[in-house]
Amino acid sequence: MTRLVCVSNRISLPRRSSAPGGLAVGVLSALKRTGGLWFGWGGETIDQEPGDPDLHIREGVTYATIDLRQRDFELYYNGYANEVLWPLFHYFLKGMRYNAEQSDAYERVNRSFAEKLLPLLQPNDLIWVHDYHLIPLGRVLRQLGVQRPLGFFLHIPFPNIEMLRVLPAYAEMLRDLTHYDVIGFQTQNDLAAFHSGIEHLLGRDAIRADGRIRVGERTVRAEVFPIGVDVNAVQTEATEAMTSDVVRRMYDSLMGRQLMIGVDRLDYSKGLVERFSAYQHFLETYPQNVGRVTYIQIAPLSRTDVRAYVEIRQSLEQAAGRTNGRFADTDWTPIRYLNRNFPHHVLMGMLRSSHVGIVTPLRDGMNLVAKEFVAAQNPEDPGVLILSNLAGAARELSTALLVNPYDTYAVGHAIQTAMSMPLAERRERHAAMLQVIKRNDIASWTRRFVEALERTEAVSPKVRALGA
Ligand code: GDG
């Protein structure tokens, strides 16, 4: 029997009020199904050299957490990961702040992850590395002699070569990716962008007719594995939470008004400033809605040490204040803007209570909230999803009201369309989306990726080692 080992920058130990984040939601659902080991940073920073991992076992999953030195955390996590790779991969060059010291810390932390993981590995492990924080990890593990199958999944978009070339070490990054046996992307667009990088680095012939990539004597599988949600679990959570105290109080406070909801980590890629201004256009253009619609935006804070996140927070407070100042009445607030974290089941209950779910990122790898909104609805009387065509999820959820998030007038119009959509059309659009997310749920995402990794076991360790 093989064991699944997931590695990600940050681990969240299972708690009901776990921190938001799509990666953690995806990895945890995957591991709960298969059991195995989850290795990563536990969230603590210290001043001395970190020791061995701490181990905790919960519900068949072993959690191995390590600490990070404060300085490395600043340079590697806040710095290279979130001030260089995150903006670059989301096509926000304006938010990018590069320096070579961060790049050294990225390599150093990846090496330290590999060295601390090594003693925990067993001969039958399948190793699945997650996201942009850990791209070099596969190469370092191979250098340390690991011969087991190695997979990598990128949760965020992959940029086209012309954008990627902005990164000084872009060629090394592409080469690092080829040390994995399986590389997974969210959408066909991301895969095509990766191919543009491989063509640039290794030449057109490196991409074989079956899509595999030839790297010396080895072949690497690069494929699309769109992440999904646990549809049954979301449906149960949402239905049960409808009777919870928090959701009932929220619902009662609407006093019969229609509800539009947004749930996003507070991040500039999520398009919240543009969304607030779209909502303002909606109130201006369709004044019959003034006093009749409430918009609740839940936006738990994230990456609070990074400058761009401080700036976006200020802009949003101003934007919400402007709209509320202009339209609010003694008994009605147009936008309720909450920088709070809620337990997941409460959020699912709120999604189910909403007439409209608004998900308008300026760019997003997938966006699980869009899929959760669909799963949480009552199929007999479903709410309407407004979805950015720049989110990976738009490829699958094609019967949502698709919008360009920059076109704030068009988004305002979509809100009006959603608020007045007849029941038959709502049901039809929702049924089509539900079918898609059921077919491609979190279990099938995990199964497909693990099967792809298992298939690479046939490759002889000698050939694999050639990549090291
Ligand atoms: C990255 C990629 C990709 C939100 N607020 C709370 C909370 N959440 C949960 C949501 C959802 C998850 O966090 C957010 O996932 P998203 O996919 O929407 O966004 P990212 O965090 O940016 O995720 C993204 C994802 O990875 C997976 O591959 O889809 O494109 O950027 O599940 O419900 N959870 C709790 N409290 C909150 O206040 N407990």
Side-chain angles (χ1 to χ4, degrees):
M1 262 272 286
T2 53
R3 179 179 74 152
L4 184 61
V5 174
C6 285
V7 189
S8 65
N9 166 64
R10 180 74 196 267
I11 285 194
S12 32
L13 287 167
R15 270 171 305 170
R16 279 214 110 168
S17 62
S18 60
L23 183 147
V25 171
V27 174
L28 188 59
S29 319
L31 273 171
K32 274 192 176 157
R33 250 151 242 287
T34 56
L37 173 72
W38 188 3
F39 179 94
W41 177 47
E44 295 292 320
T45 55
I46 52 176
D47 289 328
Q48 64 280 24
E49 198 49 48
D52 292 336
D54 281 333
L55 298 180
H56 318 258
I57 300 176
R58 309 262 165 87
E59 297 173 33
V61 179
T62 305
Y63 297 79
T65 59
I66 53 170
D67 298 329
L68 280 179
R69 288 186 83 126
Q70 178 61 28
R71 180 104 185 104
D72 280 342
F73 168 74
E74 272 155 30
L75 292 169
Y76 143 83
Y77 179 77
N78 286 338
Y80 201 72
N82 288 321
E83 283 192 322
V84 179
L85 299 183
W86 176 274
L88 178 68
F89 280 35
H90 286 85
Y91 290 77
F92 288 108
L93 281 188
K94 209 174 124 236
M96 181 172 151
R97 295 206 307 168
Y98 177 84
N99 76 52
E101 211 189 347
Q102 297 169 338
S103 158
D104 295 345
Y106 184 65
E107 175 69 20
R108 187 165 64 243
V109 170
N110 269 271
R111 184 157 293 278
S112 156
F113 263 62
E115 286 166 356
K116 293 198 187 305
L117 173 62
L118 196 63
L120 302 179
L121 292 178
Q122 296 173 2
N124 60 353
D125 285 343
L126 298 173
I127 303 159
W128 185 2
V129 178
H130 292 261
D131 234 2
Y132 57 103
H133 317 84
L134 298 175
I135 291 172
L137 189 71
R139 168 186 33 95
V140 184
L141 285 171
R142 288 278 182 255
Q143 287 166 346
L144 295 177
V146 172
Q147 293 182 346
R148 298 294 301 159
L150 281 177
F152 177 83
F153 183 77
L154 185 69
H155 289 255
I156 66 174
F158 194 81
N160 190 278
I161 182 65
E162 272 317 304
M163 179 59 73
L164 191 64
R165 261 163 18 97
V166 168
L167 188 71
Y170 78 94
E172 288 80 355
M173 163 165 290
L174 283 166
R175 218 168 271 122
D176 279 352
L177 281 167
T178 66
H179 285 267
Y180 292 94
D181 299 304
V182 179
I183 312 168
F185 297 98
Q186 299 274 28
T187 67
Q188 204 60 45
N189 282 358
D190 303 308
L191 178 61
F194 177 64
H195 281 164
S196 73
I198 289 295
E199 266 184 47
H200 174 90
L201 185 77
L202 302 174
R204 186 161 296 190
D205 292 349
I207 304 170
R208 296 189 339 189
D210 63 2
R212 298 205 181 189
I213 293 162
R214 210 191 317 266
V215 187
E217 306 236 347
R218 299 167 51 241
T219 57
V220 173
R221 297 176 64 140
E223 287 176 24
V224 175
F225 301 87
I227 194 169
V229 295
D230 188 336
V231 177
N232 291 335
V234 169
Q235 280 172 343
T236 310
E237 278 185 324
T239 317
E240 288 179 5
M242 290 293 276
T243 51
S244 75
D245 213 34
V246 188
V247 177
R248 279 176 70 159
R249 272 195 293 128
M250 180 216 60
Y251 196 76
D252 291 346
S253 75
L254 297 172
M255 317 246 289
R257 295 184 180 99
Q258 288 197 297
L259 171 62
M260 177 166 88
I261 193 160
V263 177
D264 308 76
R265 270 187 313 100
L266 184 53
D267 192 298
Y268 52 85
S269 67
K270 302 292 182 184
L272 294 174
V273 173
E274 292 75 7
R275 192 183 305 170
F276 281 13
S277 109
Y279 181 62
Q280 173 147 338
H281 290 320
F282 160 73
L283 294 175
E284 283 163 357
T285 318
Y286 306 99
Q288 66 273 29
N289 294 293
V290 171
R292 298 229 171 98
V293 170
T294 297
Y295 166 28
I296 297 187
Q297 176 61 52
I298 294 169
L301 301 179
S302 68
R303 304 172 193 167
T304 45
D305 300 334
V306 178
R307 193 181 62 178
Y309 290 74
V310 176
E311 288 169 4
I312 188 77
R313 193 175 164 189
Q314 285 167 355
S315 310
L316 282 169
E317 279 161 10
Q318 283 168 9
R322 250 193 321 271
T323 302
N324 284 340
R326 173 148 165 222
F327 291 96
D329 211 330
T330 44
D331 60 349
W332 175 62
T333 312
I335 306 184
R336 296 192 201 165
Y337 171 52
L338 286 79
N339 290 137
R340 268 194 54 188
N341 195 351
F342 286 90
H344 199 257
H345 68 282
V346 169
L347 287 178
M348 299 305 107
M350 292 186 183
L351 294 182
R352 190 179 173 93
S353 319
S354 307
H355 299 90
V356 177
I358 186 154
V359 180
T360 50
L362 304 178
R363 188 131 340 226
D364 217 331
M366 176 56 63
N367 197 295
L368 293 182
V369 174
K371 293 188 169 182
E372 288 168 343
F373 179 81
V374 174
Q377 297 308 302
N378 172 3
E380 298 305 315
D381 184 15
V384 180
L385 176 64
I386 298 176
L387 177 61
S388 161
N389 55 17
L390 296 171
R395 304 291 291 226
E396 292 165 90
L397 304 180
S398 55
T399 58
L401 282 181
L402 294 179
V403 292
N404 181 320
Y406 291 94
D407 188 348
T408 51
Y409 282 95
V411 177
H413 180 67
I415 299 175
Q416 174 63 13
T417 307
M419 289 291 175
S420 50
M421 190 178 284
L423 178 63
E425 184 179 349
R426 283 192 275 130
R427 278 194 188 155
E428 202 178 313
R429 287 174 180 268
H430 173 260
M433 292 190 283
L434 189 61
Q435 200 180 14
V436 173
I437 61 167
K438 275 186 173 164
R439 197 173 48 228
N440 189 26
D441 65 357
I442 190 76
S444 85
W445 177 71
T446 312
R447 196 171 45 244
R448 283 190 56 225
F449 197 95
V450 170
E451 278 172 9
L453 259 185
E454 276 168 345
R455 278 198 290 273
T456 68
E457 273 203 278
V459 178
S460 88
K462 213 162 126 202
V463 170
R464 204 174 273 127
L466 286 169

